[in-house]
Amino acid sequence: MNKEEFMKYLPVDAYGIMSTVREDGMPEARCIEFQFEEDGKFYFATASNKEVYKQLVNHPQTAYTYMEPSGKFTARITGMMKFVPDEDKEERRRIWDRLDDIVHKIHKTVDSPTLVLMYMDECTCKLAHGLGTPKPVEM
C-alpha cells in the first residue's frame, strides 16, 4: 500500500489517540484531532500549556492511532514530532489556513501565544483491517 491509498483511511479532522512519553518514562495517551498530511508530514495543533506539548518537547517520539468507529480498520503512524517555530510567520499562516474550525475557535488567531503547530516527521505508517496484522505503508 502506498501513502495515497493509506490517506483514504485517515480522514482529515479525525479524532484519534496520540501516545507520548511522560517525564517518568511511562507512556501516556490522549485524544487529539489530526489536521492534515502534506509531503509525508502529519499535522496537529495543541496548546503550550498542555502536558502533551511538554511531553513532546522532552521526548519527540510519538504515535498516533485512528480507528474507524465500527472497527473496520486502524491507521497507525509513528514518528518524531517537530514544531513550527513562532518566528516562521509565513509557514504558521499557511498551516493556520488549513486547520479545523475547532482550532480557530480555541485560539482565535495564528498569533495566539498558546498555539502550538506541530507535525509528525520521519514516519512509519501501518494499516490493519479489523483485528488483523498491520501492514506497512510505503511512504
Side-chain angles (χ1 to χ4, degrees):
M1 172 178 289
N2 64 31
K3 181 182 78 168
E4 288 72 27
E5 293 169 308
F6 176 76
M7 291 310 300
K8 294 176 185 175
Y9 293 92
L10 183 60
V12 169
D13 303 333
Y15 284 92
I17 303 299
M18 181 172 285
S19 300
T20 57
V21 179
R22 296 188 320 215
E23 190 174 303
D24 64 3
M26 295 299 292
E28 184 162 344
R30 87 271 297 134
C31 186
I32 191 167
E33 184 182 26
F34 165 67
Q35 296 297 315
F36 64 94
E37 180 275 335
E38 182 178 77
D39 298 327
K41 298 174 183 176
F42 297 82
Y43 285 82
F44 300 86
T46 192
S48 59
N49 58 354
K50 290 191 171 184
E51 285 298 315
V52 65
Y53 171 68
K54 295 169 189 164
Q55 291 166 357
L56 288 166
V57 166
N58 291 324
H59 301 280
Q61 307 87 340
T62 189
Y64 178 79
T65 302
Y66 169 73
M67 179 180 240
E68 190 273 335
S70 68
K72 291 179 183 172
F73 63 85
T74 304
R76 302 179 189 181
I77 309 165
T78 58
M80 301 294 287
M81 192 61 77
K82 298 184 179 177
F83 302 94
V84 179
D86 291 343
E87 300 78 32
D88 193 343
K89 302 289 186 192
E90 185 176 324
E91 180 69 357
R92 288 178 64 80
R93 169 57 65 189
R94 188 186 69 75
I95 294 167
W96 172 262
D97 289 344
R98 295 190 61 186
L99 298 179
D100 181 79
D101 289 342
I102 292 172
V103 177
H104 290 183
K105 287 178 185 173
I106 293 169
H107 293 283
K108 310 288 188 232
T109 173
V110 69
D111 297 320
S112 168
T114 59
L115 175 64
V116 174
L117 300 176
M118 56 190 189
Y119 58 92
M120 290 177 70
D121 199 6
E122 304 170 38
C123 296
T124 301
C125 300
K126 296 179 181 178
L127 183 74
H129 290 280
L131 299 176
T133 303
K135 304 288 187 205
V137 176
E138 292 183 32
M139 294 300 289

